[in-house]
């Protein structure tokens, strides 16, 4: 007899949430909570830790990567919690962190438009719940490309600051352009240099090296 897998489902689209709930229950999963945002997901897991979490990546309020960030946080709070992330696209900023968590066990990242076989989808969920790893090949390909990009560690704002540095702007000018404090710009620049592994004791001009790195990456 196949064991029932207690599952928390997070999906902001009501129709898709109901549809996934019906599919899971038809195949022997017990959906203990079906929620529509990341905060509700974290609360549901905290109230009753399930055997599996299945979460969309884009959810309210920002519809960016709230579900993925919640998944990473849940894996930190609950060691070994199996999580499957579903998405229309590869959200690189937290995907690698999710897949690295828990030594890469009990985790999955599937692209919605490539899940065309329900039985295969259900089998993937069961594999993750049992401690396995299931990752869409397209996700692997994009993450490998990201690892080769020296700017991959930078946030969107840090990339924006580095671009302005490359254009020859001073910290004060960048602060005016971005409508932030000069101290904030200085902090971003410091983070950029650290993430590009340019140590303070390096006798080269670190800003110049950072700009060269940016220009090579942009080619």
């Amino acid at each position: 007899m196949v064991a029932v897998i207690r599952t928390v489902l997070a999906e902001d689209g009501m129709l898709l949430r109901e549809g996934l709930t019906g599919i899971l229950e038809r195949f022997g999963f017990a959906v203990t909570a079906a929620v529509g945002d990341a905060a509700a997901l974290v609360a549901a897991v905290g109230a009753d830790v399930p055997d599996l979490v299945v979460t969309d990546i884009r959810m309210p309020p920002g519809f960016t990567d709230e579900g993925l960030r919640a998944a990473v946080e849940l894996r930190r709070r609950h060691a070994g919690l199996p999580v499957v992330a579903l998405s229309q696209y590869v959200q690189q900023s937290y995907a690698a962190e999710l897949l690295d968590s828990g030594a890469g066990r009990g985790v999955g990242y599937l692209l919605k438009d490539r899940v065309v076989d329900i039985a295969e989808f259900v089998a993937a969920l069961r594999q993750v719940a049992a401690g396995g790893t299931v990752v869409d090949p397209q996700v692997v390909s994009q993450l490998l490309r990201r690892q080769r990009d020296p700017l991959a560690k930078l946030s969107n704002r840090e990339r924006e600051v580095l671009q302005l540095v490359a254009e020859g702007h001073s910290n004060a000018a960048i602060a005016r352009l971005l409508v932030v404090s000069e101290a904030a710009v200085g902090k971003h620049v410091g983070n950029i240099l650290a993430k590009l592994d340019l140590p303070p004791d390096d006798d080269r001009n670190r800003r110049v090296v950072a700009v060269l790195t940016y220009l090579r990456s942009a080619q």
Side-chain angles (χ1 to χ4, degrees):
M1 182 177 179
V2 178
V4 173
I5 298 173
R6 299 172 60 257
T7 304
V8 169
L9 171 65
E11 163 61 52
D12 68 284
M14 184 182 67
L15 292 179
L16 183 55
R17 185 168 68 243
E18 293 295 327
L20 285 171
T21 298
I23 289 172
L24 292 177
E25 292 183 339
R26 179 153 55 94
F27 281 85
F29 292 73
V31 178
T32 59
V35 300
D37 60 67
L41 167 61
V42 172
V45 172
D48 185 14
V49 181
D51 303 315
L52 175 69
V53 168
V54 179
T55 180
D56 189 11
I57 286 176
R58 285 187 168 183
M59 288 196 290
F63 292 97
T64 55
D65 56 7
E66 288 84 355
L68 190 53
R69 284 189 281 118
V72 170
E73 178 61 28
L74 288 171
R75 296 266 289 179
R76 289 198 192 103
R77 294 186 188 182
H78 308 282
L81 175 65
V83 170
V84 174
L86 297 176
S87 181
Q88 296 286 4
Y89 69 110
V90 182
Q91 171 52 265
Q92 296 182 349
S93 59
Y94 281 89
E97 189 173 352
L98 175 65
L99 296 175
D100 285 342
S101 64
R105 289 180 50 81
V107 65
Y109 196 126
L110 302 176
L111 299 182
K112 291 179 180 178
D113 60 357
R114 291 165 64 89
V115 178
V116 296
D117 186 295
I118 292 178
E120 184 178 320
F121 172 62
V122 169
L125 298 186
R126 290 193 177 279
Q127 184 175 337
V128 171
T133 303
V134 179
V135 184
D136 188 285
Q138 187 173 328
V139 176
V140 174
S141 176
Q142 292 199 34
L143 289 178
L144 286 174
R145 287 200 299 272
R146 176 182 172 86
Q147 289 175 357
R148 291 193 292 267
D149 179 2
L151 304 184
K153 296 178 182 179
L154 304 187
S155 68
N156 289 337
R157 177 47 66 104
E158 287 164 354
R159 283 175 176 262
E160 190 175 10
V161 169
L162 182 53
Q163 178 180 343
L164 292 171
V165 171
E167 292 172 1
H169 296 287
S170 66
N171 283 11
I174 294 171
R176 289 193 297 271
L177 288 168
L178 298 182
V179 196
V180 297
S181 69
E182 190 170 344
V185 174
K187 183 176 180 180
H188 285 311
V189 171
N191 289 339
I192 291 166
L193 299 177
K195 290 180 179 180
L196 294 181
D197 296 321
L198 300 174
D201 58 354
D202 195 325
D203 59 4
R204 298 173 297 173
N205 187 322
R206 295 194 298 160
R207 286 176 75 106
V208 172
V209 175
V211 168
L212 291 174
T213 302
Y214 170 80
L215 294 175
R216 291 190 194 104
S217 180
Q219 289 177 351

